[in-house]
Every structure is written in structure tokens, then in C-alpha cells.
Amino acid sequence: MAQFICRDVSLGYDGKVIAEHISFEINSGDYLCIVGENGSGKSTLVRAMLKLHEPMSGEITTGDGVLPTDIGYLPQQTEVQRDFPASVREIVLSGFTGHLGAKPFYSREQKVAAMRAMERLGIDSLARHCYRELSGGQQQRVLLARALCATKKILLLDEPAAGLDPKVTGEMYSLIENLNREDGITIIMVSHDIAAAIRYATHILHIGHKRNFFGTKEEYIKSEDGRAFISLSGEDVIRT
């Protein structure tokens, strides 16, 4: 059963449409990359999936027992957020906020889980460090650990490697791939990196100004839209 179902969705702001006729389904364990030109509505779609933005038409629903608390989100950071004066441990623990209910404090089990998430992402030694003193790559690992505390089912990642150098970018993509393949977490990732999308994704959603594509990455590579976008991106990624 699909975890996310998007039916003929149109997105926009102030009555102006920026993307339309978007339809797809995501099943447990899929790795979906959302690609397209700047301003095509990729990040807006993710916000709509999180119920942070209302579609102009169409509908986005969840299935397979997915609840809002089953979704972990790694958004694009602003400069203000990068300068946040909290410890790494505090930020990772904040991933459990949606699970606290009426309880004012994190449980022992949640604290242990937060440490395990930090260990998994290689940042446990930074637990007491101030977040704003970290490198960009370290900050992204912290945010990914926070998202892992929020869920073990679905991660929505908006440009998780933006602004990172090639080495750190490769490490970040490898971590995300392991979470998908080893832990079975569904990955939905917005990316401008078409080479990474082709390498790691099982499915591609290409939001275009004239038409959209949704299918497996193999189907995308063979499609007219896929070949055209790959060519425009200057990437030699036709080989899988």
C-alpha cells in the first residue's frame, strides 16, 4: 500500500500556478528524487506533503498507516538557523518533540535513541558542542540525526547536500543511501544533483514547466524528458 498518494496536484502562491498536474505514489522503501529547474515547485511540493502549504487543486493523502509523526523533515537552512546557539544533543533530541504529548521532558528511552542516532551518523563526539560552531557538513548530519529521531519510516530531505564540498556531499549521500537500504526508510529528496538522483534513487519525479514525469530511474533515463534534462545539466549519467 502506498505511503503517499498525490493526485493531479497544482501548486502556487497568491493565485499564481507554479506547478500543475502532479501525480505519483510512493511505497515503503522507495527512494524518490524530485528534480526540475529552479522555481519549478519542488520545495513547495515537499511543504504540501507536510501540510505546510495548501495545494491549489488536487489532493495529497497518506496510506499504509502513515501519521504526521512518522515523517522526518530536513529543510533547507537559513543563515539564522545555521547560527542557532544550542548544543548538538539538544537539537537532535528536538526531533522527539512531536512525540512528547503532554510530557514536559524527554524520556530515558528517547535520550538513548538520540545518542544512537548521533553514533549512527558519526557525530556522537560533538554532542556537547554548540551547533553554530560546526562545519556545514556536521550541521547537516545533526539535522539528519534529528530527523531520524522523528521517524523510522519516512524522511523528506530538501537539498540535503546544498553548499557542501564534494567529499562531504558524497558522505551525506552515502549516509542517506544506507538509511534507505539497511533500515528500509523511505526517502523523498529534492535535489539539483541529477547525477546523484540517477545513482541513488529508485524513482524520479521530474516537475517540468510544460509536463511532469514520474517513474523508475531506468524509465526516466530512457524518457525524452530525462535525456533532455540530463543533457542540459551537463552530466554523463546515462549509464546506470
Side-chain angles (χ1 to χ4, degrees):
M1 185 177 181
Q3 292 181 322
F4 269 106
I5 306 99
C6 183
R7 296 188 181 92
D8 198 23
V9 165
S10 293
L11 302 165
Y13 295 92
D14 301 322
K16 181 180 179 181
V17 176
I18 59 173
E20 57 186 341
H21 304 308
I22 301 172
S23 296
F24 61 87
E25 291 190 3
I26 301 169
N27 296 308
S28 176
D30 283 351
Y31 190 143
L32 173 71
C33 271
I34 304 172
V35 301
E37 298 175 10
N38 290 337
S40 59
K42 302 183 296 295
S43 295
T44 304
L45 173 61
V46 169
R47 288 178 56 80
M49 293 172 73
L50 291 165
K51 306 300 182 184
L52 301 175
H53 181 81
E54 186 69 24
M56 298 179 72
S57 62
E59 63 176 356
I60 300 175
T61 58
T62 57
D64 199 21
V66 172
L67 302 172
T69 52
D70 292 325
I71 303 169
Y73 179 41
L74 195 163
Q76 293 188 45
Q77 285 198 90
T78 65
E79 289 301 321
V80 172
Q81 290 168 331
R82 291 189 180 95
D83 199 41
F84 195 66
S87 73
V88 167
R89 182 175 179 272
E90 289 171 331
I91 289 177
V92 174
L93 271 170
S94 71
F96 288 113
T97 300
H99 300 268
L100 286 177
K103 295 179 294 184
F105 304 108
Y106 300 111
S107 68
R108 180 181 180 279
E109 291 76 14
Q110 289 171 332
K111 293 175 181 178
V112 170
M115 181 55 67
R116 287 176 178 168
M118 288 187 281
E119 290 172 353
R120 177 72 187 275
L121 297 180
I123 55 172
D124 50 303
S125 63
L126 302 175
R128 296 184 182 277
H129 288 228
C130 183
Y131 178 76
R132 65 184 178 188
E133 296 173 357
L134 304 182
S135 69
Q138 290 171 331
Q139 287 188 343
Q140 288 298 83
R141 286 179 182 237
V142 171
L143 296 181
L144 187 55
R146 182 183 67 176
L148 275 178
C149 287
T151 182
K152 297 300 179 187
K153 284 189 177 183
I154 304 170
L155 288 176
L156 268 65
L157 314 173
D158 195 350
E159 295 285 357
L164 304 182
D165 64 49
K167 179 178 182 297
V168 178
T169 293
E171 292 171 349
M172 177 60 65
Y173 284 140
S174 180
L175 287 169
I176 295 168
E177 180 185 33
N178 288 339
L179 293 172
N180 176 248
R181 294 191 177 184
E182 296 178 11
D183 295 51
I185 296 175
T186 303
I187 303 294
I188 303 167
M189 181 174 72
V190 172
S191 180
H192 284 94
D193 189 343
I194 188 65
I198 295 299
R199 178 175 180 181
Y200 297 109
T202 60
H203 295 76
I204 303 287
L205 171 64
H206 180 156
I207 304 177
H209 292 300
K210 294 183 178 180
R211 59 187 178 189
N212 307 311
F213 171 93
F214 172 71
T216 66
K217 71 176 179 182
E218 291 81 10
E219 291 169 338
Y220 182 64
I221 289 170
K222 296 175 182 178
S223 71
E224 180 182 346
D225 292 324
R227 288 184 173 274
F229 192 63
I230 290 168
S231 177
L232 287 173
S233 302
E235 300 286 354
D236 181 17
V237 294
I238 297 299
R239 298 182 301 276
T240 59

